[in-house]
Amino acid sequence: MTIPAQRRTVSARHETWPLARPFRIARGAKSEARVIVVEIRQDGMRGRGECVPYARYGETTESVLADIARLAGAVEEGAGRHDLQGAGAARNAIDCALWDLEARLAGRTVWQSAGLREPSPLVTAWTISIDSPEAMMRAAADNRSRPLLKVKLDAECIMERMRAVRDGAPGARLVIDANEAWTMDQLLHIGDDLAGLGVEMIEQPLPADKDEALAGCRCPLVLCADESCHTAADVDRLAGRYDMVNIKLDKAGGLTGALALSHAARERGLRVMVGCMVSTSLAMAPAMLVADDADIVDLDGPLMLHVDREGGIRYDGSVMHPPHVSLWGGGEFARQWTPAAAL
């Protein structure tokens, strides 16, 4: 459906947000989050969306800004969310900005527009990044009261690190994210030992282009596709290899694609995890709508920042509360929130 354009404009900017501490995964370390914010304005209203260019998928800040610029003309001429093709970070920021704008113009919330139930507080995982076993044990101990810990690993010292984490947080639920770093032999060799530590799930153990080896694999743990899963079109291929898919709006192309992926996964009997890149609360807000009925929620990105965006989501420990509509998501007073004079 095409929406009539009435003084609609699209703009995008790059922002850098320092992290509270360095964050390391199997592919490397980072000390800041680099995000792109899209704003779409129409009739005195403003809709916003945030994305993270991700090098793993061939994206750079420059390439995503160029992609947004290519899509901007159609959006300014009235193209709606379902008129935009493709997935990825640029589509995510524009899609979420359109959801926000449409809700504000209509004077309702995004969850009402999408036919979803009203969002409620969610328990998110807390991520422990790769370090020495001793440092990871200290990190786990510092967060032992959190109900769910997600542990980043590479191919080195897997059991030493996981035993250290378990010693540091004996009562926490544990899941692992290997970020494509393992081999099939490693997975088969340590699966039972990890289960013995109470690990529940392993996210993307093998490289995405080698995960066909998982078909028929008898692993005692739930296997979750991340880098192997982007959109609903991937679900049929993954159903015989994984038990769960990790939905990220930057991969799926926004809230529209993420909701479609969640529905397709459930239809094929796959469990659902909702994750994020390291980014601000503006990126978490639409993801919370997908995460409302997820089996695992991993939306701790803002907790990794030195400071979050003003008006960001409130976290009480690991409990994240639905965002105020001044951040994202429309609402009853949307027409009073961003009057033309304030734009």
Side-chain angles (χ1 to χ4, degrees), residues 11 59 110 116 134 210 287 319:
S11 63
E59 296 176 335
V110 169
L116 303 172
E134 296 76 18
K210 293 182 171 60
V319 177

Side-chain angles (χ1 to χ4, degrees), residues 26 101 130 149 203 272 290 308 312:
L101 177 66
I130 296 174
L149 298 179
E203 189 179 340
V272 168
V290 189
D308 191 12

Side-chain angles (χ1 to χ4, degrees), residues 7 59 65 72 88 92 112-114 116 196 227 240-242 260 263 279 301 314 317 320 334:
R7 300 179 298 282
E59 296 176 335
L65 286 170
N92 174 29
Q112 289 169 330
S113 299
L116 303 172
E227 286 85 350
R241 304 175 187 181
Y242 296 93
H263 177 75
S279 44
R314 177 167 64 91
M320 58 188 307

Side-chain angles (χ1 to χ4, degrees), residues 6 87 98 162 171 175 191 194 212 222 250 263 265 303 306 320 343:
Q6 299 178 18
L98 283 170
M162 289 309 303
V175 297
L194 290 172
E212 68 277 0
V222 171
D250 277 309
H263 177 75
L303 297 178
H306 178 67
M320 58 188 307
L343 300 177

Side-chain angles (χ1 to χ4, degrees), residues 266-339:
R266 296 292 192 191
E267 287 285 302
R268 288 303 306 266
L270 293 169
R271 303 182 205 179
V272 168
M273 174 181 183
V274 175
C276 66
M277 307 303 187
V278 182
S279 44
T280 81
S281 285
L282 182 57
M284 302 305 114
M288 284 192 74
L289 296 182
V290 189
D292 187 60
D293 64 348
D295 299 279
I296 293 178
V297 178
D298 180 27
L299 297 178
D300 63 345
L303 297 178
M304 300 181 191
L305 303 178
H306 178 67
V307 62
D308 191 12
R309 191 178 299 280
E310 183 177 357
I313 290 169
R314 177 167 64 91
Y315 288 80
D316 291 328
S318 291
V319 177
M320 58 188 307
H321 295 267
H324 192 272
V325 293
S326 60
L327 176 71
W328 185 89
E332 292 180 358
F333 68 98
R335 290 191 174 274
Q336 286 74 45
W337 178 60
T338 50

Side-chain angles (χ1 to χ4, degrees), residues 27-337:
R27 280 189 290 272
K30 63 193 304 182
S31 60
E32 60 187 18
R34 299 180 179 180
V35 309
I36 292 173
V37 175
V38 166
E39 294 186 356
I40 305 177
R41 302 173 185 248
Q42 180 181 339
D43 291 349
M45 295 291 106
R46 177 187 65 173
R48 297 190 298 171
E50 178 181 311
C51 70
V52 177
Y54 202 41
R56 168 64 179 81
Y57 308 125
E59 296 176 335
T60 64
T61 299
E62 294 73 21
S63 72
V64 172
L65 286 170
D67 289 341
I68 291 169
R70 281 193 289 271
L71 293 169
V75 173
E76 290 178 342
E77 291 174 2
R81 293 176 288 102
H82 296 288
D83 299 313
L84 305 178
Q85 300 300 312
R91 166 68 188 273
N92 174 29
I94 290 178
D95 183 82
C96 291
L98 283 170
W99 274 106
D100 192 26
L101 177 66
E102 291 167 14
R104 295 186 188 283
L105 289 171
R108 59 175 179 255
T109 62
V110 169
W111 62 266
Q112 289 169 330
S113 299
L116 303 172
R117 64 189 179 194
E118 183 175 4
S120 57
L122 300 172
V123 175
T124 180
W126 169 267
T127 303
I128 295 177
S129 67
I130 296 174
D131 210 322
S132 67
E134 296 76 18
M136 293 177 76
M137 181 173 67
R138 289 194 296 271
D142 288 343
N143 294 279
R144 64 193 305 157
S145 63
R146 296 182 184 272
L148 176 61
L149 298 179
K150 174 177 169 177
V151 185
K152 291 284 190 177
L153 293 174
D154 54 20
E156 306 298 322
C157 304
I158 296 171
M159 291 309 303
E160 292 90 337
R161 285 168 164 158
M162 289 309 303
R163 290 190 186 102
V165 169
R166 175 50 81 202
D167 287 343
R173 295 173 57 207
L174 298 180
V175 297
I176 288 172
D177 187 0
N179 284 118
E180 306 181 274
W182 296 2
T183 65
M184 192 66 188
D185 286 343
Q186 283 178 307
L187 175 62
L188 294 175
H189 180 68
I190 63 176
D192 288 335
D193 292 335
L194 290 172
L197 288 177
V199 175
E200 299 177 14
M201 180 270 281
I202 304 174
E203 189 179 340
Q204 199 68 44
L206 308 185
D209 61 357
K210 293 182 171 60
D211 69 357
E212 68 277 0
L214 296 175
C217 170
R218 294 190 175 184
C219 181
L221 306 176
V222 171
L223 298 180
C224 178
D226 182 4
E227 286 85 350
S228 291
C229 181
H230 292 245
T231 70
D234 296 316
V235 169
D236 285 344
R237 172 176 53 85
L238 300 175
R241 304 175 187 181
Y242 296 93
D243 311 291
M244 176 181 286
V245 295
N246 188 353
I247 300 173
K248 294 178 180 174
L249 273 65
D250 277 309
K251 295 186 299 175
L255 178 59
T256 303
L259 291 172
L261 173 53
S262 179
H263 177 75
R266 296 292 192 191
E267 287 285 302
R268 288 303 306 266
L270 293 169
R271 303 182 205 179
V272 168
M273 174 181 183
V274 175
C276 66
M277 307 303 187
V278 182
S279 44
T280 81
S281 285
L282 182 57
M284 302 305 114
M288 284 192 74
L289 296 182
V290 189
D292 187 60
D293 64 348
D295 299 279
I296 293 178
V297 178
D298 180 27
L299 297 178
D300 63 345
L303 297 178
M304 300 181 191
L305 303 178
H306 178 67
V307 62
D308 191 12
R309 191 178 299 280
E310 183 177 357
I313 290 169
R314 177 167 64 91
Y315 288 80
D316 291 328
S318 291
V319 177
M320 58 188 307
H321 295 267
H324 192 272
V325 293
S326 60
L327 176 71
W328 185 89
E332 292 180 358
F333 68 98
R335 290 191 174 274
Q336 286 74 45
W337 178 60

